[in-house]
Every structure is written in structure tokens, then in C-alpha cells.
Amino acid sequence: MHVATKGLVFAIYYPVIAAIGVPANLAVIVILSRRRCGLSRSITYYLVSIAVTDLLLIITVVIFSQIAGIYFPVSFLSITPVCSLRSVLIYAIIDSFVWLTVAFTFDRFMAICCQKLKIKYCTNKMAARLIGAVFGLNCLKNTFQYFIYEPLYITNNIPWFCRVKLIFYTSPAWAAHDWIHRILTPCLPFLLILLLNALTVRHIQLASGARRRHRAHSNGETQSDPEMEKRRNSIVLLFCISGSFILLYLPFLINFIYVRIAKRSYFSGSNFNESDFILQETGFMLQLLSSCVNPFIHAGTQRKFREELKTGVKYPLTLIVKLFK
């Protein structure tokens, strides 16, 4: 593909992500915060916090990094200290999103599979504490990212742009830091989400079979089960959110493994003919796409969410009609 064509793809892709992701995530935050979707308060806390990280990710990465870099290649955001600080925020937001997804998956696992612990763990207070801890710890962990960059060049004593220091690839300490960072996000979350979902599926299969046998024995025939229908809706929401996370973050994980096994460097240039750059950029683009997927998951899996969304869309139209009457 021609270089200009690839540049055009990026120039279109990121504005589209921003145009869709910002209003979609704002709608999720507003609708879920009203607590009219029939979800428990703890689930609402997790879903709202995930939507907030999605929104922050779009603002910091898509708008202030990618779009600004494409349409305003040299600006205040390009100064090295600002660029380094922006990197810290980006990594902290991404890591927070990943671990909030894990926390939400674990909350649903406890609610479905561990009834005795459900009362203590699946509460709004516990959810608020975990969300706060996730944000705090990830901001603290990613402060080290500020020190891995150096200026690409210096003009009039002003350092411009960010380039990963060579020592980052040769120093055992930085190599260990990078391994720990990547293991914590996203390697360990991948394993935890897959394990928790597998255990949840196994528990649901066993519980559903036992419940059907019990109801058939009690009623003499198989009847609809409202409790199982409610649980099924919760499971669909859980699997859609965690499943989309795994699919869209998988290329990012593959890129990290490739970089370390092949002993390549994270490509920071703009040579569109480099296969390494294409692999890295594809993983990054899919990673950002995940920030737009969750609002559509809510709309597709929650009937009450769709009703609230329709009401929200109709409200300004109704006001406009009343003004012209």
C-alpha cells in the first residue's frame, strides 16, 4: 500500500474513533449513573469507571496524541517533558482500563460462583475501594515511564518530541521493568480473565443442569425460569465485555512477545514500509478501538439501556418541536 494511502488511513481512522467514542462513552456514563438499567450498584460502579477510562483514553491518546500529531505535528504537546508526561497518563489510563475489566470479571465470578463471599465482596463500598486502588496504583506504577524518553532533537534549548533511550533496550534493570510492566498489563489480566470466565462457565453449566432437574422434578415439566433469564443477561454482558477486551488487546500482546523474543525495538519512527511498525500500529489501533466497543455492547445486551438511550435522544427533539409549536 502506498505511503500516502496509509497516512490517509490514520488521518481518517483516529478522528472517526474520537467522533464516535466521546459521545458514546458520555452517554454510557450518564445513563448508567442514573441507575435505571436494573443493574446492581457495584456493577454500575465498575461499568461507569470503565466508561470513564475509555473516555479519558480517547481524549489523551486519540485527540491529544494521534490527531494532534497528524494535524499539528509541532505544538506545545511535542515538547519532551509534556510528551513524557502524556505517556505516563496514557499508560496509567490503559492499565486502569485493563485492571478494571479484571475487577469487573472477578466481581461477577464472585457473585455467580461464590455465594457465601458474595455478600462481603459484591458491595458498592468494596467496588468503590477497588476502583480507587486501581487508579491510584496504576498512576504510581507508571511514573517510571517518564524517565525512559529523551528528546529527538533540541532547538534553541527546547527539547522536542520523545524517543526511547537506547539504555532502555540494553540495561537489565530497564528490561526487568519492561517485563514486569508487560506481565502486569496485559499478560496477567489475560490469564485471569480467561481463567475466571472458564470457571464461571463451568459453574453455570453445573448449576443450570441441577436447577433444570430440580424444577422438572418439582413441576413435572420444564418451565421458564426468570432467575436463570436474569443471570443469563448478566453473563452475556460479562462475556461480551471481557471477550472484546481479549480480542482487541491480543495483537498488542503478540507485538510485545515478538519484540522481546526477536530482540527488536519498539518502532517509534514513521517508515510505513517497516513490517514492525505495521504490526505495532495495528495492535495500537485495535487497542484504541476497544474504547468505542463497550457502549455498543451495552446497547446490544441491555434492553433498559436501549430504552434510556432512546429517551435521551428523543428529549431534545421533543423540546425543539415544542419550541416551534
Side-chain angles (χ1 to χ4, degrees):
M1 188 182 295
H2 193 268
V3 172
T5 304
K6 294 179 181 179
L8 181 62
V9 170
F10 296 143
I12 295 175
Y13 179 79
Y14 292 116
V16 169
I17 290 292
I20 296 175
V22 170
N25 282 291
L26 282 174
V28 171
I29 294 170
V30 172
I31 292 174
L32 293 182
S33 297
R34 290 163 60 87
R35 300 193 62 231
R36 295 182 179 179
C37 295
L39 301 173
S40 68
R41 183 171 294 183
S42 64
I43 295 178
T44 301
Y45 280 8
Y46 286 117
L47 296 180
V48 169
S49 64
I50 290 174
V52 169
T53 55
D54 283 337
L55 180 61
L56 291 176
L57 190 63
I58 294 172
I59 293 173
T60 56
V61 182
V62 177
I63 297 177
F64 289 137
S65 182
Q66 300 302 315
I67 295 178
I70 292 172
Y71 294 98
F72 308 98
V74 180
S75 67
F76 171 76
L77 296 173
S78 304
I79 299 175
T80 303
V82 178
C83 176
S84 299
L85 180 60
R86 193 175 67 218
S87 177
V88 172
L89 293 175
I90 290 171
Y91 277 103
I93 294 170
I94 291 175
D95 290 358
S96 296
F97 166 76
V98 171
W99 281 101
L100 285 173
T101 304
V102 175
F104 171 66
T105 305
F106 185 72
D107 178 89
R108 293 299 82 204
F109 167 76
M110 296 290 287
I112 295 170
C113 304
C114 306
Q115 294 297 317
K116 293 182 179 180
L117 298 175
K118 173 183 177 181
I119 299 176
K120 294 183 179 180
Y121 182 83
C122 300
T123 63
N124 56 326
K125 290 183 179 180
M126 181 62 73
R129 290 172 183 171
L130 284 176
I131 292 169
V134 167
F135 278 111
L137 290 175
N138 281 300
C139 287
L140 180 63
K141 177 175 75 75
N142 285 286
T143 54
F144 294 99
Q145 294 294 132
Y146 185 87
F147 303 101
I148 72 173
Y149 298 104
E150 63 182 2
L152 187 61
Y153 58 84
I154 299 176
T155 303
N156 297 325
N157 294 323
I158 300 177
W160 289 96
F161 301 102
C162 288
R163 178 176 61 188
V164 178
K165 297 177 182 177
L166 181 61
I167 193 175
F168 179 78
Y169 302 105
T170 58
S171 169
W174 278 116
H177 169 268
D178 191 44
W179 271 107
I180 293 172
H181 179 80
R182 300 302 177 181
I183 288 173
L184 291 176
T185 308
C187 298
L188 183 58
F190 260 74
L191 295 177
L192 289 175
I193 289 176
L194 289 174
L195 176 62
L196 291 172
N197 282 341
L199 293 174
T200 302
V201 169
R202 182 175 181 276
H203 178 85
I204 291 173
Q205 290 176 340
L206 295 175
S208 298
R211 191 175 180 89
R212 283 195 298 268
R213 288 191 297 270
H214 175 73
R215 288 177 62 86
H217 178 74
S218 301
N219 302 323
E221 58 180 359
T222 303
Q223 298 179 355
S224 61
D225 191 342
E227 178 65 25
M228 292 304 298
E229 288 293 331
K230 183 179 179 180
R231 179 174 294 185
R232 188 178 296 112
N233 293 335
S234 177
I235 293 303
V236 169
L237 177 62
L238 167 64
F239 287 170
C240 286
I241 291 177
S242 58
S244 67
F245 163 77
I246 291 174
L247 289 176
L248 295 176
Y249 271 69
L250 185 60
F252 176 78
L253 178 62
I254 293 173
N255 179 66
F256 162 69
I257 295 174
Y258 168 73
V259 165
R260 281 306 175 187
I261 292 179
K263 297 183 178 180
R264 307 297 288 265
S265 63
Y266 291 107
F267 202 82
S268 57
S270 58
N271 185 353
F272 293 99
N273 294 318
E274 283 283 349
S275 59
D276 292 357
F277 175 78
I278 295 174
L279 175 62
Q280 178 177 312
E281 194 67 20
T282 300
F284 189 60
M285 292 170 70
L286 291 176
Q287 189 180 37
L288 294 178
L289 180 62
S290 66
S291 61
C292 296
V293 171
N294 284 339
F296 295 95
I297 290 176
H298 291 300
T301 59
Q302 299 184 65
R303 178 180 57 81
K304 292 183 178 180
F305 182 91
R306 292 194 296 271
E307 293 174 355
E308 288 292 315
L309 183 61
K310 291 177 182 178
T311 302
V313 172
K314 290 179 181 178
Y315 181 73
L317 297 178
T318 303
L319 290 179
I320 294 174
V321 171
K322 288 182 179 180
L323 290 174
F324 283 96
K325 281 186 177 181

